[in-house]
Amino acid sequence: NLVYFFKTDNFLVEDKKFLLTITNLSTGQVVSSETNLIHDLSLMSSFNNPAYKMGFYNQSGDFSATTIEWTHAQNAAIYEVTMFLNYTEYGQDTIVKTISKVFPIIPYSGSSEMSQKINGEEFFNFIANAVEGNGNVNRRVNNIDLLFSAGTTELQTYINLNQPPTGIVQERPVFTNIDNGIGIFSSRYNKLQENISITNTTKEAISFHLDSLNFIFP
């Protein structure tokens, strides 16, 4: 596949519609499509508070959940949240490592408020499955990054039609929004929230419940 890129220099404008036109110089055939851009989305105000911390274990000794919220972005039809857990590994060398978890796609339901709930037990299982045991190192949990991704209706349709077939009929319909061609011309949007703190109660619980992974606290 040929990949074309360009410096935006304010070329991409939220409220503009973008038209793609390709002319085959040999045949004269014109291939075209158009797309809207996904507007900026606003994350919950708690992220602006330096004291905010994500917690997945409470002082009563039980798992707890954290809900992440954001406002619907115009022209977005689907959302996906990716969580990155950053930790430092102390051994022969000191290395900062990252593990990630992608949550299921959330379709836009018509509400102006969107959310992703992260259960405490799910969070601990994520760490247990993603970090390999190593008796020669110690580890310390640092913080969390969250990536918010949004896609258009065209991208949603393409994903839905290309899911693994479960019935007798295995043939998938071809979806394209390209006139006189085949493919997808659309847009997506990413927004990254970095360095989100984690409660000490959660960090301590990680070192206790996942002791085989040698996470230390404090």
Side-chain angles (χ1 to χ4, degrees):
N1 293 328
L2 296 177
V3 178
Y4 299 93
F5 66 93
F6 57 91
K7 294 182 179 179
T8 58
D9 293 330
N10 298 321
F11 174 76
L12 298 175
V13 182
E14 283 185 347
D15 57 354
K16 301 294 184 181
K17 181 174 289 187
F18 289 80
L19 174 67
L20 173 70
T21 303
I22 302 172
T23 302
N24 187 317
L25 298 180
S26 298
T27 65
Q29 181 179 358
V30 177
V31 178
S32 64
S33 187
E34 62 181 34
T35 186
N36 292 308
L37 297 185
I38 297 175
H39 290 213
D40 187 21
L41 58 85
S42 297
L43 304 180
M44 63 185 194
S45 59
S46 299
F47 287 139
N48 298 322
N49 182 358
Y52 173 75
K53 295 183 179 182
M54 295 180 67
F56 303 97
Y57 204 84
N58 57 40
Q59 295 181 347
S60 300
D62 297 317
F63 293 113
S64 60
T66 292
T67 300
I68 307 301
E69 300 175 338
W70 65 94
T71 58
H72 167 63
Q74 186 174 330
N75 298 326
I78 51 175
Y79 296 91
E80 185 178 71
V81 177
T82 304
M83 177 175 61
F84 302 91
L85 177 69
N86 307 304
Y87 65 93
T88 302
E89 191 170 271
Y90 304 93
Q92 188 172 2
D93 298 308
T94 299
I95 306 172
V96 176
K97 294 187 174 182
T98 301
I99 55 176
S100 62
K101 176 178 176 59
V102 181
F103 292 92
I105 290 176
I106 303 173
Y108 173 53
S109 61
S111 172
S112 61
E113 300 295 330
M114 305 295 299
S115 64
Q116 172 68 61
K117 185 177 181 180
I118 306 174
N119 294 313
E121 190 170 5
E122 179 182 22
F123 178 78
F124 277 72
N125 288 337
F126 153 61
I127 299 174
N129 293 328
V131 178
E132 294 185 4
N134 185 345
N136 297 319
V137 300
N138 288 320
R139 300 175 170 116
R140 190 185 303 275
V141 173
N142 297 331
N143 49 42
I144 288 174
D145 300 329
L146 291 173
L147 176 64
F148 298 83
S149 302
T152 61
T153 300
E154 291 79 15
L155 185 57
Q156 180 186 34
T157 301
Y158 176 81
I159 292 173
N160 289 340
L161 290 178
N162 285 277
Q163 290 179 348
T166 58
I168 296 176
V169 179
Q170 298 292 300
E171 184 176 353
R172 299 184 180 92
V174 175
F175 172 75
T176 178
N177 68 337
I178 307 291
D179 293 331
N180 294 324
I182 296 176
I184 300 293
F185 180 62
S186 187
S187 66
R188 65 176 183 177
Y189 174 92
N190 291 328
K191 188 164 189 171
L192 182 64
Q193 182 69 35
E194 298 180 287
N195 301 322
I196 306 170
S197 299
I198 305 172
T199 62
N200 286 336
T201 304
T202 300
K203 291 181 179 180
E204 185 175 12
I206 291 173
S207 67
F208 178 76
H209 290 284
L210 304 178
D211 58 319
S212 62
L213 299 179
N214 294 346
F215 280 98
I216 56 176
F217 177 85

